[in-house]
Amino acid sequence: MANGYAERSRVAVESRSYGGCATLASLAFTPDVFVAGVAVCGMSDFATFYRDTEPRIAAAAATKYGHPVEDRALLAALSPMRAVDEIAAPLLVVHGELDTNVPIGEAHQVVAALRERSHDVEYLELEGEGHEYRRTSSRALLVRRMVEFVVARLG
């Protein structure tokens, strides 16, 4: 409890969509804070997100995250893939197979980069699901895997 709040060995981070990106950024840019992370349908690189997402999603995202051309340098600096080698905590990445809001390539590239360096990373692809997980069975699987993953890392 060096910061007076919690023991690092008991703190994990999880979120979805932009929050999934924030989870990746938290692990990449503050690698000594969390013992584990779960990133659900999050962007891992703003350049590839803007390149691969639906045009209407990209247009809406530009007002939230930054313009893909005008803010290119800032978005590159903020993209978790820039610091993927800094990720120290185990990571569970979850993505819907048919997600067009945040294309599945965002999950594939971060998982591949972490596996390339033998990092503790697990990947759950929800078959037939998009950005929102509509089937009860998918949501149940997601919650079960998240709990198992985090509990195993928290000890």
Side-chain angles (χ1 to χ4, degrees):
M1 288 204 279
N3 64 10
Y5 297 108
E7 295 178 31
R8 178 184 181 272
S9 65
R10 305 296 297 162
V11 181
V13 60
E14 180 275 334
S15 198
R16 69 173 315 279
S17 196
Y18 179 73
C21 178
T23 292
L24 294 173
S26 296
L27 297 178
F29 300 127
T30 57
D32 58 336
V33 174
F34 302 98
V35 71
V38 180
V40 182
C41 62
M43 299 88 85
S44 57
D45 185 277
F46 286 108
T48 56
F49 163 73
Y50 276 113
R51 182 191 70 204
D52 298 338
T53 193
E54 295 179 3
R56 68 177 178 81
I57 299 294
T63 62
K64 297 175 187 174
Y65 315 135
H67 191 276
V69 175
E70 296 168 13
D71 300 314
R72 183 183 317 264
L74 175 64
L75 292 171
L78 296 174
S79 290
M81 283 301 293
R82 175 183 69 78
V84 72
D85 288 340
E86 300 303 314
I87 294 175
L91 175 64
L92 170 62
V93 176
V94 182
H95 218 94
E97 172 193 26
L98 306 175
D99 192 338
T100 57
N101 289 17
V102 177
I104 199 165
E106 295 300 300
H108 291 171
Q109 66 192 358
V110 73
V111 169
L114 291 170
R115 284 182 176 163
E116 186 174 293
R117 62 184 189 89
S118 300
H119 187 79
D120 182 2
V121 62
E122 293 183 17
Y123 178 56
L124 171 61
E125 187 171 301
L126 295 173
E127 184 179 335
E129 295 288 4
H131 195 64
E132 301 294 331
Y133 307 146
R134 306 223 182 264
R135 291 192 303 264
T136 303
S137 60
S138 295
R139 292 192 306 269
L141 175 59
L142 168 65
V143 170
R144 185 172 57 253
R145 286 287 299 277
M146 286 191 323
V147 169
E148 291 170 353
F149 182 84
V150 172
V151 166
R153 273 59 180 193
L154 291 180

